[in-house]
Amino acid sequence: MEPPLVGPDVAGSRAHGERGAERGDDARAPVVLGAGGLRRGLASAVLFLVLAVAGWWLSPGDGFSLLYVSGQLVLAAGCVLHVVVRHRLDTVRLEEEVVVVVTRQGETVYAWADVLEVSWQGSTWPYTGSGPVLRLRGGPFDEPGPNAPGRIARLPVFGAAASGRATAALADVCAARGVPYTPKLMELIGTGKRMPRLPGEPRDSRRS
């Protein structure tokens, strides 16, 4: 059974709601991003392996090109399987004041007050997972930092539908927090279409 791609953290939201009731305000339930489209991902890995075997079987004795393609297909299948096995239970919890990344190694917490900009990084080659991208306050050489946005999780998310749900939920939370959401930020910076920092931002944006 796949963990939910997007949904409320039931236990966390109940406790958060009780605290909100005590304060007399309207507390919002956290949004949780996790694995999605796992069956599609596993099916693609199986297809890659089948094509690799077919290419190896059909290649002539000196068919280096087909053997090379078969090797790339095996690599792609291996990358997909690695991400699914290792990161299928990872989550990113978007709470009222913090972003919490939960992996088998533990938790990493980022304060929304330190987030300058948010994006989403999807499938790349070789496939290493998808996840939110944060550009954070900090010094000029911090990673992630104001000059170097970074992906904070490696979630196994496969297919346009699963990716669309994740990015829509992330963009909605950013809008509610008043944090800029920029689609394909890493691609824009990588191709030179924009600088990492927004106009008017200082090179060093650490909070005093």
Side-chain angles (χ1 to χ4, degrees):
M1 182 177 179
E2 297 180 8
L5 174 67
V6 179
D9 182 334
V10 177
S13 64
R14 185 182 297 118
H16 192 65
E18 290 172 357
R19 291 194 298 269
E22 293 172 0
R23 295 194 309 265
D25 58 9
D26 184 17
R28 286 174 286 193
V31 171
V32 180
L33 307 177
L38 289 184
R39 290 176 183 165
R40 183 187 184 99
L42 293 174
S44 66
V46 171
L47 177 61
F48 292 154
L49 290 174
V50 170
L51 292 174
V53 171
W56 175 79
W57 183 263
L58 296 175
S59 64
D62 59 348
F64 175 78
S65 297
L66 272 177
L67 290 176
Y68 175 80
V69 172
S70 295
Q72 293 297 302
L73 289 170
V74 170
L75 174 62
C79 290
V80 169
L81 293 174
H82 172 78
V83 172
V84 170
V85 171
R86 186 170 180 82
H87 299 289
R88 70 188 184 282
L89 299 180
D90 293 1
T91 59
V92 177
R93 194 167 66 243
L94 309 174
E95 299 188 354
E96 185 72 21
E97 308 218 355
V98 297
V99 178
V100 184
V101 181
V102 182
T103 68
R104 62 173 65 186
Q105 281 77 37
E107 293 187 358
T108 305
V109 180
Y110 303 93
W112 277 111
D114 289 330
V115 179
L116 297 170
E117 194 172 6
V118 178
S119 186
W120 176 270
Q121 185 173 25
S123 301
T124 57
W125 175 256
Y127 183 75
T128 56
S130 305
V133 171
L134 300 186
R135 198 166 61 81
L136 302 172
R137 295 184 185 277
F141 304 109
D142 290 343
E143 293 186 21
N147 301 312
R151 184 177 53 185
I152 60 171
R154 300 181 183 276
L155 305 176
V157 178
F158 302 95
S163 295
R165 290 194 299 273
T167 54
L170 184 60
D172 287 346
V173 172
C174 290
R177 303 292 187 278
V179 176
Y181 177 84
T182 304
K184 299 183 178 181
L185 175 62
M186 299 291 276
E187 290 87 342
L188 291 174
I189 295 173
T191 56
K193 293 181 179 178
R194 64 156 278 185
M195 299 296 290
R197 289 178 287 115
L198 293 172
E201 281 186 5
R203 190 163 180 261
D204 189 324
S205 59
R206 282 176 285 207
R207 284 193 290 172
S208 55

